[in-house]
Amino acid sequence: MRHGSPARHRRRALLSSLAATGLLGSLALTSGFAAEPGATTTRKPQEARLLDTLTVPAGTTEFGMPFGGLSGIDYDPRSGEYVAISDDRSENGKARFYTLRLPLDGAAFAGDRPALDGLTVLADTTAEPFAPKTVDPESIRWTPGARSVLWTSEGASSVGQPAFVREATTSGGYIRELPLPQAYAPVRSASGTLIAGVRNNQALEGLTLTPDGRTVATITENALVQDGPAAGLTTKSPSRLLLMNRRTGQPEAEHVYEVDPVSDAPTAPLPPPVGTYAADRGVSEILAVNRTDYLTVERSFASGVGFSIRLYWTSTIGATDVNGKEALSGTEKPMRKRLLYDFTTSGTDADNVEGITWGPRLPDGSRSLVLVTDDNFGFNGGVTKFHLLAVRGLERHDGR
């Protein structure tokens, strides 16, 4: 079910003089990134800069549904169109994704809001829209040529609802499901305690395709229950990166990615109706650089403090392949990682970043990254933001 939009008058925003004068370099975080001995990455990340941020007012409605909950985004360089998925559990509106445009003017967004092209309702295996609370969409990617989309749902382990990776038509229809290994399935004891599988609300937040389109990669936000603890103030969490053959859907490899400890302790409770103190950290998205290297977004949150967002480069080179293991032993060698960008050093309130994609090439030849935030439909003051970053020393090797 797809809704087209009429042509929109686009108010042109003034470019920041900072972008023109190069003063945005003061926002840069340069990482050094000397490659470890034996590393075979063809390019190593060197620098990332925040160029611009576009904010969508809270409460915005498009096509009769709230425009919010954006948890994944992907860019098609051939059409210049983005696809963005909402994590609406079919409660505020139907489970859906949007197609939109974010044109650039030099090194900044060219307008003060995204240009919405359409809204597409996702269908369940029944060919009908998802019933309320039967799905939790989190990430989305175009397949090669933008012929279809791959997307994830976190499910709800608390009620036995499994996470999944599915393929859908561009009009939202169900095509197929890529089966996850048995280790990911929620398992409960006789008393109802979760003893194995993905943790509730800490499952498949991230999804990406390698540049050749052959491999689908997804990553758990925190460790599977049997693999280790969730991230804490002093505790890392061994998440799993799963690589699957896009054509067959079969697993090709799995690697351990260690999530850093929670950045801050909570200082105040969440607003009603929650009213509790909360703090967590996890991988909210992943983006392929090539067949071995990835970018990850680690999102840390503490009530009363807010969000801490960090962007890392990581690689499977040298990491233990744990494909087929029901549980980790703790002796596995995790993926190497390096900090590429930390929003807390930029002076910008990043908010709840949940999506990242490659954007168009910038005038100076560097690559752009576009990140999007989940506004949680206005809860706790959340708003939708699009962040534009420039990055050097990273190439997809697919001609873009």
Side-chain angles (χ1 to χ4, degrees), residues 141 208-211 286-290 293-295 358 396:
R141 299 291 176 188
T208 189
L209 274 73
T210 53
I286 187 169
L287 180 65
V289 178
N290 50 49
D293 296 5
Y294 298 86
L295 301 183
W358 297 105
R396 284 175 56 101

Side-chain angles (χ1 to χ4, degrees), residues 45 55 69 87 110 160 192 194 227 246 284-285 314 336 349 369 377 390:
T55 301
D87 69 357
L194 189 67
D227 286 347
R246 185 176 67 86
S284 62
E285 190 56 283
T314 186
R336 293 177 295 123
D349 180 9
L369 292 169
F377 298 101

Side-chain angles (χ1 to χ4, degrees), residues 62-287:
E62 296 287 351
F63 307 116
M65 297 185 198
F67 181 70
L70 301 188
S71 296
I73 191 169
D74 202 32
Y75 176 66
D76 176 19
R78 297 162 185 83
S79 66
E81 192 170 51
Y82 294 82
V83 61
I85 198 166
S86 173
D87 69 357
D88 194 333
R89 302 184 186 192
S90 281
E91 294 177 291
N92 301 285
K94 299 296 185 183
R96 60 196 178 278
F97 64 82
Y98 300 91
T99 47
L100 55 93
R101 296 177 188 273
L102 292 163
L104 302 183
D105 190 343
F109 290 118
D112 60 355
R113 60 180 298 156
L116 272 292
D117 291 339
L119 177 155
T120 303
V121 173
L122 286 161
D124 202 347
T125 55
T126 60
E128 296 294 326
F130 284 88
K133 297 184 179 181
T134 59
V135 68
D136 185 5
E138 290 294 347
S139 189
I140 192 166
R141 299 291 176 188
W142 296 112
T143 58
R147 291 185 291 270
S148 61
V149 294
L150 288 166
W151 64 286
T152 67
S153 170
E154 277 201 306
S157 295
S158 59
V159 294
Q161 190 182 107
F164 63 68
V165 179
R166 289 184 181 177
E167 184 174 3
T169 66
T170 56
S171 57
Y174 173 84
I175 296 178
R176 62 172 177 152
E177 186 164 324
L178 281 64
L180 297 174
Q182 184 61 36
Y184 291 69
V187 178
R188 292 191 169 276
S189 67
S191 63
T193 302
L194 189 67
I195 57 175
V198 293
R199 284 181 158 85
N200 192 59
N201 204 34
Q202 295 183 332
L204 304 184
E205 287 268 354
L207 176 74
T208 189
L209 274 73
T210 53
D212 59 14
R214 295 178 181 176
T215 302
V216 178
T218 188
I219 191 168
T220 57
E221 188 175 356
N222 266 225
L224 302 180
V225 174
Q226 68 271 27
D227 286 347
L233 286 171
T234 60
T235 309
K236 295 183 178 181
S237 186
S239 294
R240 290 201 195 198
L241 171 76
L242 172 65
L243 305 177
M244 296 179 285
N245 183 288
R246 185 176 67 86
R247 183 179 61 83
T248 66
Q250 294 303 303
E252 294 181 334
E254 274 185 287
H255 301 282
V256 177
Y257 175 90
E258 285 190 329
V259 179
D260 284 351
V262 174
S263 294
D264 301 285
T267 60
L270 287 166
V274 181
T276 59
Y277 287 76
D280 58 26
R281 186 188 189 98
V283 181
S284 62
E285 190 56 283
I286 187 169
L287 180 65

